[in-house]
Amino acid sequence: MASRPSGNRRALGDIGNIVGALSATYLVTKPQHQQQQNHTNNLIEIDRPTTRRKFGAELTAKNQLHGKATKIIIEDDPKQSRTASSRKKRNRIPEIHEPKSIQMGEEEEEQEKENTRKKKLERWECGSSFNASMSTETAELPLDSEVDLQINSCVPTNYMSNQTDINHKMRAILVDWLIEVHYKFELMHETLFLAINIIDRYLSRQGVMRKYLQLVGVTGMLLACKYEEICVPLLEDFIYISDGAYTRVDVLKMEKSMLNTLQFNMSVPTPFVFMKRFLKAAESDTKLEMVSFYLMELCMVEYQMLKFPPSLLSAAAVYAGRCMLRRSPTWTKTLRHHSTYSEDQLQECVRLIVELHQNAGQGKLTSVYRKYSFSKNSCIAILMKTTTIETHFHSN
């Protein structure tokens, strides 16, 4: 390893801070007229100067020999203004009292244990009655009266009407590009769903110029990565994929604007949350999981699909996936119970999903179709392309 140039710096020995040097005594050379007295040794040892503390200690030791308790006062240190006897009293170890159980007799000890047991029993009965009453009240509540947490993640279905410089086609181009970015970075599913949700919620509240729309998309993906991912891509990576259209300062400013606009609310239920739950209720395999996510991502690109709540969109994707794979029955009682949707309630959304599936791979926005055409995703887009589900769907 190459050493750094020292420049004009002096060695440690030149400035007298060698470790251990002259730590106890100082060595000096005897004057010329004293060298004649001792020719064998030209060095003498000089002790450190006597300090007030050292002097006080020596004086105390002398007085103790004569049986006196002398009060030593050091004006600069008022803490030392106490006699040796007072220091001994202050440093005395306090008495350690034995535990109460040792001091009590056997009968008192048993009574104390019984009282403690009764108090614990009363607290337990109180907690049990409270939990029981809460469980009863919850069980009596119908599913429709539960608080719908999806409100925080939904956006107005016509929010693009408030934008003056962008439209739903530009949003579709942005989402299609972000799906490709997400695949190239090998990020998790939940990151993509959260990123799209962050972007839609921000655009529904804040007007954005056309030249900054890609910056909103890049920053939304960065925020989702920070929230979901363990290994977050570098900010420079997002600047690179945007072809250097924005600087680091631009991204940080947009990140601040988006967080303040959304009031730092990143914990929202996205379609991914419901999808995992419904797939578990459907006892899905890898093939059904791939098909359902493929159909769901096709929906994410389309602005018109924002009118459906995330739970309904996920349920419709699972329903359509089971139709494509000829699973019978298409909608089980378990799925109806966990999704709270009947087949009739899913009809409109499923029809739109079928149309998106039939048109997949056509036109300019083909990122989802190409993504699920790779072997990594079991080539599910190619396999399902030849599957006609419209007739099977209508027969149900």
Side-chain angles (χ1 to χ4, degrees), residues 84-131:
S85 60
S86 65
R87 287 198 302 271
K88 183 177 180 181
K89 184 176 181 180
R90 287 187 105 170
N91 296 331
R92 185 174 58 191
I93 300 175
E95 296 180 1
I96 301 176
H97 300 283
E98 294 183 348
K100 189 176 181 181
S101 59
I102 297 179
Q103 295 179 354
M104 292 188 303
E106 294 182 359
E107 296 181 359
E108 295 178 351
E109 183 178 355
E110 291 296 331
Q111 185 64 31
E112 182 69 18
K113 289 182 180 180
E114 182 65 20
N115 293 336
T116 303
R117 188 185 68 82
K118 288 181 179 180
K119 291 180 181 179
K120 290 182 179 180
L121 183 60
E122 290 175 359
R123 288 196 298 266
W124 181 85
E125 289 176 350
C126 180
S128 299
S129 61
F130 174 77
N131 293 331

Side-chain angles (χ1 to χ4, degrees), residues 174 177 208-219 235-252 254:
L174 175 66
W177 177 72
V208 176
M209 300 295 293
R210 184 179 308 181
K211 62 180 180 179
Y212 295 124
L213 182 59
Q214 188 181 16
L215 178 61
V216 172
V218 168
T219 309
L235 191 149
E236 286 73 16
D237 296 333
F238 289 99
I239 296 175
Y240 175 78
I241 62 174
S242 60
D243 199 22
Y246 312 104
T247 64
R248 179 185 180 91
V249 176
D250 294 333
V251 177
L252 294 178
M254 180 58 69

